[in-house]
Amino acid sequence: MNITRYFTSFIPFSDTGRLARWYNVLNRINSLEEPLKNLSNTEIKKAGLSLRYRAKSGESLKSLLPEAFALVREASRRTIGLRHFDVQILGGTAMFHRSIVEMQTGEGKTLTATLPLYLYALSGKGALLATVNDYLAERDANLLEPVYNLLGLTVGVVKSQMPTDQRRKAYQCDITYGTAKEFGFDFLRDRLLLRRIREGQHDLFGAMLGHKKQGDEKPVQREQYFILADEADSILIDEASTPLIISAAPTEDEQKEIECYYWASDVAAQFENKVDYEYDNEKKTVELTRGGRTKVRLLNKPEGLDEIDLVQIYEFVQRAIRVNRDFHRDEHYVVRKGEIVIVDEFTGRLGEGRKWQDGIHQAIEAREKVKVTVDTGQAARITIQDYFLRFENLAGMTGTGVASKGELHRIYRCNVIAIPTNKPPHRRKFPTLIFATERAKWQAVIQEIEDMHQQGRPVLIGTRTIDKSIVLSQLLKEKDIIHSVLNANHIAEEAEIVARAGEAGKVTVSTNMAGRGTDIKIPDEVVELGGLHVICTEMHESARIDRQLIGRCGRQGDPGTFRQYLSFQDDLLKRAFGADKAAKYSAKGERTPDKMFNHHLALFRRAQRKAERRNFRNRKIMLYYEKERKKMQRSMGQDPYLDTPH
């Protein structure tokens, strides 16, 4: 078979040139497969140690790639029974060359990652893999550890709440799995520790961090050499919009600000739109009118607030009003163990350790009556963008990267390359349906679920928010349809729920979390029925998220179908054009008229593109201000990641 012709028939034209030079490498790797099968395990390990010696002796990793990848393929086949497909070898080669690869759902990105991780780890400088949660980091490390061990390498896992000595041991391993959040926070803690040591305060600071002995008072991380981002577009784009922050103890002035947050939250409901304030739907801003400012001055305030500037008090009230309008519990955040935890609007996952900026996070804490964490008392901060850009070598993998290749290249200087599927996909689209009201849409969704359920086909339904998944779950209960719910409130059960979502008759409701990190396997009897059916109940603010959900069906040559349901009361239209304008598009009756369908569908797509542009603009603005902030601190001789001590 002509491998070059096969690959180029499936990949975008723009990627063909980049991939063409690697076809000969693939052939070289394949030629080594049979000879390696004749070696014993001891001989395989010796071959791996020999490669490591050559790498540390100065031989280039690029020249070692064919032998290294062939060894990983053979080690994987022997230890865990999984042999890398040719397309996975191609994906690994692209990642070694500092690219972000797009591989469709179910194509084996987890196994593909072993290739560049092993090759970069031969240098002895360490290789990191950043995934989306602790569970996946530990699961993947445990699954793949036998592969690395057979080749003579060690594997570590960094998890939240892990003691310092265990963290340091994990980072000293050849390959380390963890989350971007934990890697970023460890980087900040190391910077704080080094500053305290320089200032002679390491004993006190070590006690604060839980260090029990002097040996703990040293950094846990090594140099930033190679990092691979799993679900790269989610980590490098979506999660990059909020910084990682280690808070410092509040000052006396900040205690007064905390009181102001609580007070503003209590009085915010007294202010009326277009009477006391003006709301800009496009910019998402609130500005008090003259009457609103007068009302603020006349309201009773705690004694400490008299010392706060009146303009600042206006800002606290405006912030509290905006939070009441735009930020909703179980949609934008959850309250867990007395803390506000962000729900990532693109992935539905909990953004542990992340905070909204400009006082929004604190205003939400005040509204939920939990402890307010002061915004200005930051000991250290770093953005995900900044952390990943510190690495000498960066690569990534995702199921939906090509749509964001411009942004990924501009910010991270990484090419995005689409890798062909191992088998041609058999995914069929049902016509999109648009309804006048959300109620009519839900009724149609329930009817389709019932029809598929009666056929015995599994159904995966994607909702945009947690509260919508709860609404749908209640409607399914009323119909006595047994189902599973997958959202940020059930993160611990995620893998099991996803793994079983392809079984006959299964109904799974998912909040933007359609199986990330876990394959939906389709048994033979379901294949005969037509495979998994996916229902998208709304358009998301990024087309990438819609593609992630749709990509759950039709994987690895299996059949599958999907349909998208929309209504004129969907949040996407309201956010793009305002609630009043969106309501005007709603026609009488249950369905939008057929003659207007194309016009109305174009309206939704325009709203989605508008949201994508707005989110991209916000990320660019954040990146600009972060650069300016670091530039200013460097000019003052300060560490750009640490705030000046109080």
Side-chain angles (χ1 to χ4, degrees):
M1 178 181 182
N2 187 316
I3 295 177
T4 303
R5 184 177 300 167
Y6 171 77
F7 282 149
T8 55
S9 66
F10 286 96
I11 59 178
F13 179 77
S14 60
D15 291 342
T16 305
R18 296 191 185 104
L19 292 172
R21 71 179 76 107
W22 298 327
Y23 297 146
N24 290 334
V25 177
L26 177 60
N27 288 330
R28 169 65 177 151
I29 295 168
N30 288 339
S31 71
L32 296 173
E33 185 169 14
E34 288 304 318
L36 287 176
K37 288 182 179 179
N38 297 322
L39 300 182
S40 66
N41 283 358
T42 300
E43 290 171 323
I44 289 289
K45 178 168 284 190
K46 285 182 179 179
L49 294 174
S50 174
L51 283 183
R52 186 168 191 172
Y53 175 79
R54 289 161 61 187
K56 290 186 176 181
S57 298
E59 194 167 340
S60 73
L61 296 182
K62 183 178 179 180
S63 67
L64 299 177
L65 187 150
E67 296 172 75
F69 281 19
L71 275 173
V72 174
R73 174 189 265 178
E74 178 59 22
S76 177
R77 187 188 67 81
R78 292 188 184 197
T79 55
I80 61 176
L82 297 175
R83 175 191 176 276
H84 296 73
F85 299 127
D86 284 354
V87 291
Q88 291 173 314
I89 296 290
L90 190 67
T93 304
M95 284 190 278
F96 169 74
H97 287 88
R98 304 174 185 85
S99 297
I100 293 172
V101 301
E102 177 179 291
M103 299 177 67
Q104 289 194 23
T105 300
E107 290 297 307
K109 291 187 287 293
T110 301
L111 187 63
T112 303
T114 58
L115 299 164
L117 284 171
Y118 171 72
L119 186 50
Y120 273 108
L122 292 177
S123 67
K125 300 177 183 178
L128 304 184
L129 184 139
T131 188
V132 292
N133 60 44
D134 284 350
Y135 168 79
L136 291 177
E138 186 169 30
R139 185 204 68 179
D140 293 350
N142 290 339
L143 169 66
L144 300 168
E145 187 172 16
V147 180
Y148 300 124
N149 288 168
L150 180 56
L151 298 172
L153 298 187
T154 56
V155 182
V157 183
V158 173
K159 298 186 295 182
S160 58
Q161 309 302 318
M162 179 181 278
T164 302
D165 58 338
Q166 292 182 25
R167 285 177 183 270
R168 186 179 301 107
K169 185 177 179 181
Y171 283 116
Q172 291 302 313
C173 290
D174 298 303
I175 296 170
T176 306
Y177 284 75
T179 64
K181 171 187 74 84
E182 288 301 318
F183 291 158
F185 276 130
D186 282 338
F187 171 80
L188 293 179
R189 284 189 281 263
D190 280 351
R191 302 285 282 218
L192 283 169
L193 177 61
L194 290 171
R195 184 174 73 178
R196 296 283 179 161
I197 291 174
R198 288 195 301 269
E199 296 172 353
Q201 303 176 36
H202 56 285
D203 292 334
L204 174 61
F205 188 65
M208 291 169 58
L209 290 180
H211 297 162
K212 297 179 180 179
K213 56 185 180 222
Q214 185 139 358
D216 282 338
E217 296 170 7
K218 59 183 180 181
V220 298
Q221 288 189 343
R222 294 197 275 174
E223 60 183 303
Q224 283 78 47
Y225 175 61
F226 174 69
I227 191 167
L228 196 162
D230 189 6
E231 300 298 341
D233 52 346
S234 174
I235 291 176
L236 301 180
I237 295 179
D238 302 334
E239 293 187 14
S241 59
T242 51
L244 301 174
I245 297 172
I246 294 180
S247 298
T251 64
E252 184 177 341
D253 289 340
E254 289 163 356
Q255 289 287 4
K256 294 175 183 176
E257 288 189 16
I258 290 173
E259 294 179 23
C260 207
Y261 276 114
Y262 285 120
W263 173 82
S265 177
D266 291 338
V267 303
Q270 302 178 28
F271 292 78
E272 299 179 31
N273 188 21
K274 298 182 179 178
V275 176
D276 300 315
Y277 67 89
E278 295 289 339
Y279 179 75
D280 188 315
N281 186 71
E282 174 68 23
K283 298 179 180 178
K284 306 297 180 187
T285 57
V286 170
E287 185 171 354
L288 291 171
T289 62
R290 179 178 297 179
R293 291 194 293 272
T294 300
K295 181 179 285 190
V296 170
R297 292 196 297 272
L298 294 176
L299 286 171
N300 291 326
K301 305 176 189 65
E303 185 176 341
L305 268 61
D306 293 336
E307 301 177 23
I308 296 179
D309 184 79
L310 190 58
V311 174
Q312 282 186 281
I313 294 180
Y314 293 154
E315 292 173 353
F316 278 103
V317 173
Q318 290 171 167
R319 197 180 291 119
I321 294 170
R322 188 197 163 196
V323 161
N324 285 349
R325 289 186 61 105
D326 294 342
F327 293 84
H328 308 295
R329 185 169 178 166
D330 290 338
E331 178 180 351
H332 299 99
Y333 65 91
V334 296
V335 180
R336 196 176 67 172
K337 297 180 181 178
E339 294 183 353
I340 302 299
V341 184
I342 294 175
V343 175
D344 189 285
E345 64 178 310
F346 297 100
T347 66
R349 294 187 179 277
L350 296 181
E352 302 279 2
R354 295 163 52 197
K355 292 184 179 181
W356 284 293
Q357 300 183 81
D358 303 321
I360 294 297
H361 203 92
Q362 290 70 31
I364 294 172
E365 290 172 328
R367 183 176 69 180
E368 297 295 343
K369 304 304 180 188
V370 301
K371 181 181 178 181
V372 171
T373 56
V374 289
D375 187 36
T376 55
Q378 298 172 4
R381 62 180 280 154
I382 192 171
T383 63
I384 292 295
Q385 291 172 337
D386 205 352
Y387 178 69
F388 277 80
L389 283 171
R390 290 185 58 83
F391 281 80
E392 182 180 340
N393 302 288
L394 166 63
M397 53 189 186
T398 176
T400 51
V402 170
S404 303
K405 63 181 180 181
E407 182 173 355
L408 289 167
H409 187 269
R410 279 193 295 271
I411 295 176
Y412 299 100
R413 302 183 293 278
C414 288
N415 292 318
V416 179
I417 297 180
I419 303 298
T421 57
N422 184 52
K423 297 178 181 179
H426 297 287
R427 186 179 299 121
R428 186 159 58 98
K429 178 181 180 180
F430 289 169
T432 299
L433 300 178
I434 304 176
F435 296 84
T437 64
E438 190 173 55
R439 179 176 175 274
K441 180 181 72 173
W442 284 127
Q443 289 176 340
V445 168
I446 292 295
Q447 183 61 55
E448 183 153 302
I449 294 172
E450 283 188 293
D451 293 343
M452 293 292 174
H453 189 58
Q454 289 173 2
Q455 297 174 32
R457 288 186 63 183
V459 186
L460 175 66
I461 311 101
T463 64
R464 192 176 172 279
T465 61
I466 294 175
D467 60 332
K468 297 289 177 64
S469 71
I470 294 171
V471 169
L472 180 56
S473 178
Q474 184 58 43
L475 293 173
L476 290 171
K477 288 177 182 176
E478 293 173 4
K479 293 289 186 177
D480 294 323
I481 297 177
I482 299 174
H483 60 283
S484 300
V485 179
L486 178 64
N487 59 37
N489 286 331
H490 299 83
I491 194 71
E493 297 85 17
E494 174 184 344
E496 182 181 356
I497 293 173
V498 172
R500 301 185 61 189
E503 296 177 0
K506 280 285 183 181
V507 176
T508 307
V509 180
S510 167
T511 304
N512 299 6
M513 297 169 66
R516 178 168 299 166
T518 304
D519 283 344
I520 298 178
K521 299 189 182 300
I522 308 298
D524 293 341
E525 67 270 21
V526 173
V527 171
E528 295 296 324
L529 295 171
L532 177 69
H533 181 61
V534 170
I535 296 176
C536 314
T537 60
E538 281 188 62
M539 267 191 186
H540 293 83
E541 288 201 351
S542 170
R544 287 186 295 105
I545 311 304
D546 294 331
R547 286 185 58 204
Q548 287 174 4
L549 179 60
I550 292 168
R552 300 312 305 175
C553 66
R555 59 173 291 280
Q556 280 289 347
D558 289 334
T561 55
F562 70 95
R563 191 198 300 275
Q564 195 163 46
Y565 283 84
L566 307 171
S567 88
F568 290 111
Q569 294 179 340
D570 288 350
D571 292 337
L572 181 68
L573 286 190
K574 294 177 183 177
R575 292 187 179 192
F577 306 117
D580 295 339
K581 189 173 181 180
K584 293 179 181 179
Y585 289 103
S586 181
K588 293 183 178 180
E590 297 297 286
R591 287 267 303 278
T592 184
D594 291 341
K595 64 181 180 180
M596 296 294 291
F597 175 80
N598 288 336
H599 170 73
H600 288 158
L601 183 59
L603 178 73
F604 280 90
R605 288 174 175 164
R606 192 163 73 246
Q608 188 177 64
R609 288 193 295 269
K610 187 176 183 180
E612 288 175 332
R613 288 193 298 269
R614 182 185 67 241
N615 293 328
F616 175 54
R617 183 176 64 247
N618 291 341
R619 289 192 294 269
K620 283 202 305 183
I621 292 172
M622 186 202 72
L623 182 60
Y624 170 78
Y625 282 114
E626 281 295 316
K627 285 183 177 179
E628 291 299 306
R629 183 186 66 83
K630 289 192 298 178
K631 187 187 300 181
M632 181 181 67
Q633 287 194 245
R634 284 195 180 101
S635 68
M636 299 169 63
Q638 299 171 0
D639 189 320
Y641 302 106
L642 307 182
D643 282 3
T644 304
H646 294 301

